[in-house]
Amino acid sequence: MVKLNKDYTKLDEDYLFFEIEKRAAFFVKKSLCNLGIGDITLAIPEVITEAICSATKELQEEKTLRGYGPSQGYLFLREAIQKNEYINIPITEDEIFVQNGIKNAISSLQDLFCKTSYVAVCDPTYPVYVDSNVMAGRENIEYLPCLEENGFLPTLPQKNVDLIYICSPNNPTGVAFTRKDLKKWVDFAKKQNALIFFDGAYEAFITSDDVPHSIYEIPGADEVAIEFRSFSKSAGFTGLRCSYLVLPKKLKTEDGFSIHKFYKRHIDTKYGGTSYPIQRGAERCFTEDGKKALERNLNIYRSGAKMLREGLISLDYKVFGGTHSPYIWCKTKNEMSSWDFFDLLLKKAQIIAIPGSGFGRCGEGFIRFSAFANQKTIETALNNLEKVTL
Ligand code: MLT
C-alpha cells in the first residue's frame, strides 16, 4: 500500500473555512448573518450569464464546437485582459495565463521552485500560501508580523528569502499597500534576487490613486514579480472559476531558467484549461455593458463595507481595512481571543465571522468581517451585536 506524504500531517487538521462551516452547521443557517467567507451574494449580471449561455450553445453545433482549449487560455480573453488591465504597462498577452481561480494557481506555481527555497509570508495571511508550501515540504518559512503598530504592513524579512507573498488589498486585514510601500518591496526583491507572488484578488475595491492596482505600476516589478488576478470577487465568478496570472518572460530563476517556459510546461501537464463558455463570460466583463454591470455590484459591496465599518465604530469597536477592501479587520473587546469572540458572535449575535488567529499567530485578538452580504444582513448583524453584553 502507498504511504502518505508526511508533509500533509504538518497541516492544521481542517482548512480554516471548512472549520468555520463545521462550527456554524450546529445553527439554523437561515437565521445566521454570514459575514464569514468572502463569497459573493449578488446575482451574476445577466450580460455575463448571457455570454456564457451563448458560448455554451456554440458547442451544440459541429461547426462551432470546441474541444480542448489552449492550456494558457484563449487568445480572445488574454487580449481583452491585456488591453483593459495593462494599459501603459509593458505586459504582452503571451505573458498572461488564464486559470480557474487564484487558489489553484498560487498554490501550484510554487511547485516549480526547489524545496529548500526560503519563503516569506505575512502574518496574518491567506492560509493557502502557507499550506501549499508545507505540502511541498518547505521548512524555511519566515513569518512577517503585520501588527497594529505598523499599520498591518509587514516589515522586510530578516533573512535572505527567495519567495515573498504579498496580497494587496490584503486578505485578511483589508489594508492596502500604497505605491511607496510596494516600491520598497520591489526594490528589496531586486536587491535580494527574490521573487514576489503578488495576489491582487481584491484590486477592484481600490478607491485611491495612491494604491496601485497592479504591481507592474512599480518600475522594475516585471523583473521580480508574478501577479495573480481573479474574476471571483470583481465579477461574481466564485462558483464559475476564472482567474489569470501574469508571468513576465524576463523572470529567471537564480540558476538561469525561464520561469515562463517551465510554467507553461507545468500547466501543459497538470492543467486542463478553463472552460470555453466561462472564458467567454470573463471576456464580456471588459465590454462597456459588462463593466457597468460589474460596477453596480461592486458599489453595493463597497456601501456594505462602509456601513459595516461605520456601524462597528459606532459600537466602539476598533476597526481597520474596509476602505479598499470588502474585509474589515476588527479588534475583539476585553482582550478576548479570536476564537472566543467568534463563538460569542455565533451564539449570542448569530453572526459568522472569521477568527483572526486562523490566519496566523499575529491575527490573535482580531476577527475578520466580510462585506459580501446584503444590506439587510449587515443591518441585522449590527443590531444583534449591539444587544450583546460583553
Ligand atoms: C476568504 O474568505 O478569505 C476568501 O473567500 C477565500 C478564497 O478566496 O479562497
Side-chain angles (χ1 to χ4, degrees), residues 17 37-38 103 126 171 202 233 327 368:
F17 298 105
I37 190 161
K103 182 194 264 192
Y126 179 44
N171 180 12
Y202 301 94
K233 319 287 164 152
Y327 297 131
R368 192 198 77 179

Side-chain angles (χ1 to χ4, degrees), residues 139-150:
E139 288 176 347
N140 306 320
I141 302 180
E142 182 173 342
Y143 293 87
L144 310 172
C146 298
L147 307 169
E148 193 178 340
E149 49 266 35
N150 54 22

Side-chain angles (χ1 to χ4, degrees), residues 173-230:
T173 64
V175 166
F177 286 59
T178 62
R179 221 166 283 282
K180 193 168 154 224
D181 298 326
L182 207 50
K183 183 178 181 312
K184 190 171 88 177
W185 285 88
V186 168
D187 292 347
F188 175 79
K190 281 174 89 169
K191 205 162 125 221
Q192 292 263 322
N193 203 10
L195 178 66
I196 298 176
F197 277 7
F198 184 76
D199 184 345
Y202 301 94
E203 66 81 28
F205 287 85
I206 294 172
T207 52
S208 148
D209 288 346
D210 198 26
V211 175
H213 287 254
S214 165
I215 193 165
Y216 304 118
E217 290 175 41
I218 310 296
D222 58 345
E223 293 162 39
V224 291
I226 298 174
E227 174 160 295
F228 300 78
R229 292 266 194 103
S230 175

